[in-house]
């Protein structure tokens, strides 16, 4: 079948060139589009990360603030615990008036006291090196208190001294009642037995 | 088997776009092997009162808008230019035995520039070789169109967002349409023709085999006939157009014993008004057939295929067959079994216009790429 074409070769050439350019543009657009997918995904992820970072910054500040407050509260807590321990320790203070009244009640008439003196127990030996680290920290506050008392006095004779010691023991207020020193000494125009007792509880 | 597979594959053609002065027709076809199926038919008319597409830029803009909305697969088109926008000239060029195609092209270009009556702007041209004949000195037919006209068509396609892949001459398209509906076997040994009765002009294309060998254009167009009828019958052009289509023409034998019906009387009135023009067309067809048959003596006279809007005029085919003594074919969707390689079943109810109106658009649609010059060296010039 006969067919003619009145389009000039220039027009045909331009049309074909345009079609080729269009195809290339489509190809480039498709390739660019395909390449843009991971890039876009990265950009989205970056944007999300930035947004999360922006959200985290105030949270970090809040955390630091909370940590400071926690430190303060912890310090306050420790302080209060210490005070409570002290209060407990103070609550456990010995009833000295009662003790003196008890001792006074046991003194026979032939015995008189010269001095009463409490003494503190020897401090326990401090652990060394790794043993110190291994030991758990004792949170209780230990206030060193008197472990016993020295009683110094006079008795007319040894029997009354013995009587006095027996009475003290019988009270049950002392764990031990030991005679540390006893000897006759001149007193006024006569002589008396000077003694020293060590009582522990 | 490979050929069968190729034949089974459907190939969609670019849309054929027939741009007339009164409107435009578009068609798209799908090729399956040796048969073609029309898938799209659409037509558009210029608004009433418009001087025509050539002189009305608003109408061209509306046409471009219409084309933009048209469902054309691929958005590619083959536009067609008709006489008088294109001139077809017989040329006596040396046969392509010795010269190179480039020399032949230049020779045809030179000859067409000499023959064509266009101004100095130049013209776009092409040509095809005719079958050899000892009685005919013409060896090729050349087609030329003014560059401004080509540019106008391209501009319209561009505004319609269509890719114009080819600008063909409508006589070639009509020849292709006729060849398609007759089939290769039927056209093997006769001289056949297509008479396109358009709104502005009528065109006659005589073919030998599949090659147009003579193209004539007359000023007897459908619009002129409508005006003549309106003047003669003292009716409006719309009424005259309706009478022309409905009643057509009728010849009443004076020796008939009973009185003819009223419709026949109106048909005879119309015939009497148009008689001179119809006689002139018949005379032109006769002369053309005689000339071509003299040139190709071994061939016999073949049928005349009617195309264009005027082809649907009632009784015109019978009158032409009676006066010319040859078969006159009016292609129609209703008798689609008579169309050899063209299937129109898919578009049977798609348009109210007759199939003949779309003959040129269908011919253009089967042009590009698939149309391989058979025994001619048709190339650009």
């Amino acid at each position: 079948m006969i067919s003619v074409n009145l389009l000039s070769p220039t027009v045909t050439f331009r049309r074909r060139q345009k079609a080729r350019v269009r195809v290339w543009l489509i190809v480039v657009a498709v390739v660019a589009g395909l390449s843009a997918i991971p890039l876009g995904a990265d950009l989205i992820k970056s944007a999300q990360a930035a947004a999360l970072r922006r959200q985290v910054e105030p949270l970090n500040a809040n955390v630091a603030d909370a940590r400071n407050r926690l430190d303060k509260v912890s310090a306050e807590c420790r302080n209060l615990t210490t005070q409570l321990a002290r209060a407990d320790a103070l609550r456990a203070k010995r009833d000295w008036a009662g003790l003196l009244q008890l001792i006074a009640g046991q003194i026979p008439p032939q015995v008189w006291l010269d001095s009463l003196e409490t003494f503190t127990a020897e401090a326990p030996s401090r652990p060394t090196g790794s043993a110190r680290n291994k030991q758990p920290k004792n949170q209780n506050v230990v206030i060193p208190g008197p472990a016993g008392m020295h009683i110094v006095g006079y008795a007319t004779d040894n029997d009354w001294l013995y009587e006095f010691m027996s009475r003290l023991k019988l009270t049950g207020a002392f764990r031990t009642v030991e005679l540390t020193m006893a000897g006759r000494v001149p007193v006024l125009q006569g002589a008396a037995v000077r003694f020293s007792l060590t009582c522990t509880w | 088997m490979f050929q069968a597979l190729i034949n089974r594959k459907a190939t969609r053609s670019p849309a054929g776009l027939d741009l007339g002065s009164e409107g435009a027709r578009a068609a798209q076809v799908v090729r399956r092997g040796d048969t073609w199926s029309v898938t799209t038919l659409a037509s558009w008319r210029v608004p009433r009162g418009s001087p025509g597409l050539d002189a009305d830029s608003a109408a061209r803009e509306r046409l471009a808008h219409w084309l933009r909305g048209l469902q054309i697969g691929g958005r590619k088109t083959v536009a067609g230019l008709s006489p008088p926008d294109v001139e077809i000239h017989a040329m006596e060029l040396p046969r392509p035995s010795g010269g190179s195609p480039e020399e032949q092209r230049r020779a045809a270009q030179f000859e067409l520039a000499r023959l064509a009556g266009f101004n100095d702007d130049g013209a776009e041209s092409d040509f095809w070789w005719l079958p050899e004949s000892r009685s005919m000195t013409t060896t090729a037919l050349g087609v030329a169109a003014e560059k401004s006209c080509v540019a106008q068509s391209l501009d319209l396609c561009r505004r319609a967002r269509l890719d114009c892949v080819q600008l063909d001459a409508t006589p070639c398209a009509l020849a292709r349409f006729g060849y398609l509906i007759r089939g290769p076997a039927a056209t093997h040994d006769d001289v056949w023709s297509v008479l396109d009765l358009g709104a502005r002009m009528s065109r006659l294309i005589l073919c030998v085999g599949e090659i147009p060998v003579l193209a004539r254009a007359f000023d007897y167009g459908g619009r002129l006939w409508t005006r003549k009828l309106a003047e003669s019958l003292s009716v409006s052009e719309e009424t005259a157009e309706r009478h022309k289509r409905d009643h057509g023409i009728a010849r009443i034998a004076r020796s008939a014993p009973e009185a003819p019906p009223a419709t026949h009387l109106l048909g005879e009135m119309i015939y009497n008004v148009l008689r001179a023009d119809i006689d002139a067309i018949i005379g032109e067809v006769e002369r053309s057939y005689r000339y071509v048959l003299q040139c190709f003596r071994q061939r016999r006279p073949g049928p005349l295929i009617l195309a264009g809007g005027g082809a649907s005029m009632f009784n015109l085919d019978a009158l032409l067959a009676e006066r010319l003594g040859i078969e006159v074919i009016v292609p129609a969707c209703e008798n689609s079994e008579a169309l050899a390689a063209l299937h129109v079943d898919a578009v049977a109810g798609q348009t109210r216009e007759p199939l003949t109106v779309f003959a040129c658009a269908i011919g253009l649609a089967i042009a590009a790429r698939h149309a391989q010059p058979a025994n001619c060296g048709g190339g650009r010039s």
Side-chain angles (χ1 to χ4, degrees):
Chain A
M1 288 185 278
I2 297 299
S3 168
V4 294
N5 192 1
L6 294 171
L7 292 178
S8 70
T10 316
V11 171
T12 309
F13 177 73
R14 276 188 198 153
R15 193 184 63 75
R16 283 181 186 158
Q17 213 170 26
K18 206 171 165 183
R20 276 192 208 117
V21 167
R22 197 177 297 138
V23 168
W24 272 109
L25 283 178
I26 289 169
V27 169
V28 168
V30 167
V31 169
L34 289 175
S35 328
I37 290 171
L39 190 67
D42 282 352
L43 286 175
I44 289 168
K45 281 180 186 171
S46 301
Q48 285 175 342
L52 288 173
R53 267 196 293 276
R54 278 195 297 276
Q55 288 175 355
V56 163
E57 277 169 10
L59 289 176
N60 279 337
N62 288 347
V63 166
D65 188 31
R67 199 169 284 152
N68 288 338
R69 279 186 288 164
L70 182 64
D71 289 345
K72 281 181 188 171
V73 169
S74 299
E76 282 178 15
C77 182
R78 278 196 299 275
N79 190 23
L80 288 173
T81 308
T82 308
Q83 285 180 5
L84 281 172
R86 280 179 189 152
D88 286 342
L90 286 172
R91 206 176 295 123
K93 206 171 99 176
R94 198 162 286 276
D95 183 9
W96 295 109
L99 185 65
L100 287 175
Q101 192 179 359
L102 179 71
I103 292 169
Q106 308 308 319
I107 301 172
Q110 289 78 16
V111 176
W112 65 98
L113 301 184
D114 190 21
S115 68
L116 283 172
E117 185 186 359
T118 59
F119 65 89
T120 304
E122 282 183 16
S125 60
R126 299 177 74 181
T128 56
S130 58
R132 191 192 307 168
N133 295 334
K134 283 176 186 172
Q135 277 189 340
K137 280 188 178 177
N138 190 0
Q139 294 294 324
N140 295 330
V141 177
V142 179
I143 301 174
M149 62 193 324
H150 295 299
I151 301 173
V152 179
Y154 296 89
T156 54
D157 55 32
N158 287 323
D159 293 336
W160 290 110
L161 173 60
Y162 176 75
E163 179 67 25
F164 178 53
M165 287 178 63
S166 299
R167 285 183 183 183
L168 284 177
K169 282 183 181 176
L170 285 173
T171 58
F174 302 104
R175 186 160 53 86
T176 59
V177 178
E178 291 176 359
L179 181 65
T180 53
M181 184 273 289
R184 279 205 170 270
V185 290
V187 175
L188 297 177
Q189 290 86 18
V193 178
R194 182 176 174 79
F195 63 87
S196 175
L197 299 175
T198 300
C199 305
T200 60
W201 50 73
Chain B
M1 184 183 168
F2 186 63
Q3 187 62 37
L5 281 174
I6 290 174
N7 288 346
R8 203 175 294 168
K9 187 188 169 195
T11 312
R12 185 176 56 194
S13 74
L17 186 59
D18 176 21
L19 300 169
S21 62
E22 302 264 310
R25 271 77 54 186
Q28 194 160 29
V29 296
V30 168
R31 183 185 190 178
R32 285 187 183 83
D34 294 330
T35 61
W36 303 73
S37 299
V38 183
T39 56
T40 306
L41 286 180
S43 64
W44 179 86
R45 281 181 173 277
V46 292
R48 279 185 186 175
S50 169
L53 271 181
D54 300 336
D56 190 354
S57 60
R60 280 201 299 276
E61 188 51 48
R62 289 179 73 171
L63 171 60
H65 178 74
W66 175 75
L67 286 169
R68 277 198 295 273
L70 206 58
Q71 297 291 327
I72 294 175
R75 302 303 295 174
K76 288 186 177 177
T77 186
V78 177
L81 289 178
S82 305
D85 295 330
V86 291
E87 288 187 9
I88 299 179
H89 294 284
M91 298 187 296
E92 295 176 12
L93 297 176
R95 287 275 170 191
S97 54
S100 67
E102 183 60 22
E103 285 175 353
Q104 293 162 19
R105 189 186 64 78
R106 277 207 297 268
Q109 197 173 14
F110 177 79
E111 184 67 3
L112 273 171
R114 190 179 66 83
L115 293 170
F118 296 131
N119 56 25
D120 294 338
D121 286 349
E124 300 293 348
S125 57
D126 204 346
F127 78 104
W128 69 90
W129 296 106
L130 300 184
E132 287 194 34
S133 165
R134 276 179 289 181
S135 318
M136 191 168 65
T137 54
T138 303
T139 54
L141 282 186
V143 184
E146 262 187 303
K147 280 187 176 174
S148 60
C149 192
V150 172
Q152 200 177 35
S153 300
L154 287 176
D155 181 56
L156 177 67
C157 290
R158 186 180 51 76
R159 280 192 286 169
R161 293 178 198 144
L162 290 170
D163 182 16
C164 183
V165 296
Q166 189 176 346
L167 194 58
D168 206 340
T170 51
C172 294
L174 289 167
R176 285 195 297 272
F177 175 76
Y179 182 72
L180 211 63
I181 65 168
R182 288 199 66 207
T187 57
H188 192 258
D189 57 353
D190 65 1
V191 171
W192 57 280
S193 62
V194 181
L195 178 61
D196 176 29
L197 298 166
R200 188 170 43 163
M201 295 183 85
S202 296
R203 303 163 196 95
L204 176 67
I205 300 102
L206 276 95
C207 304
V208 169
E210 59 185 334
I211 302 171
V213 294
L214 184 69
R216 304 287 310 278
F218 329 119
D219 284 334
Y220 314 115
R223 187 166 45 177
L224 183 68
W225 286 359
T226 305
R227 278 187 197 146
K228 274 188 179 178
L229 277 177
E231 286 172 10
S232 302
L233 303 177
S234 300
V235 292
S236 66
E237 286 196 12
E238 288 78 21
T239 308
E241 178 68 25
R242 208 170 302 125
H243 283 326
K244 195 176 75 175
R245 284 176 183 255
D246 294 347
H247 302 288
I249 51 176
R251 292 176 68 201
I252 299 171
R254 295 297 164 214
S255 57
E258 66 274 7
T263 52
H264 282 209
L265 288 174
L266 189 54
E268 190 178 27
M269 283 172 65
I270 294 170
Y271 175 63
N272 286 333
V273 173
L274 305 178
R275 182 197 293 266
D277 290 349
I278 292 172
D279 286 349
I281 286 176
I282 289 170
E284 289 284 355
V285 173
E286 274 180 344
R287 276 192 295 278
S288 301
Y289 260 89
R290 203 173 294 129
Y291 167 70
V292 176
L293 287 168
Q294 274 179 357
C295 296
F296 300 92
R297 289 178 190 278
Q298 72 279 17
R299 290 181 177 260
R300 57 181 176 77
L304 170 74
I305 298 166
L306 280 182
S312 57
M313 194 160 67
F314 186 64
N315 257 347
L316 179 64
D317 53 336
L319 178 73
L320 290 174
E322 181 191 338
R323 294 279 299 273
L324 292 168
I326 54 175
E327 184 190 2
V328 176
I329 300 170
V330 182
C333 293
E334 292 76 29
N335 57 352
S336 58
E337 67 278 358
L339 311 176
L342 189 68
H343 295 169
V344 291
D345 303 332
V347 290
Q350 213 175 77
T351 176
R352 292 172 63 188
E353 303 253 30
L355 183 65
T356 52
V357 171
F358 298 97
C360 195
I362 294 171
L364 289 166
I366 59 176
R369 207 162 33 175
H370 309 292
Q372 297 296 325
N375 57 347
C376 71
R380 290 201 43 76
S381 67

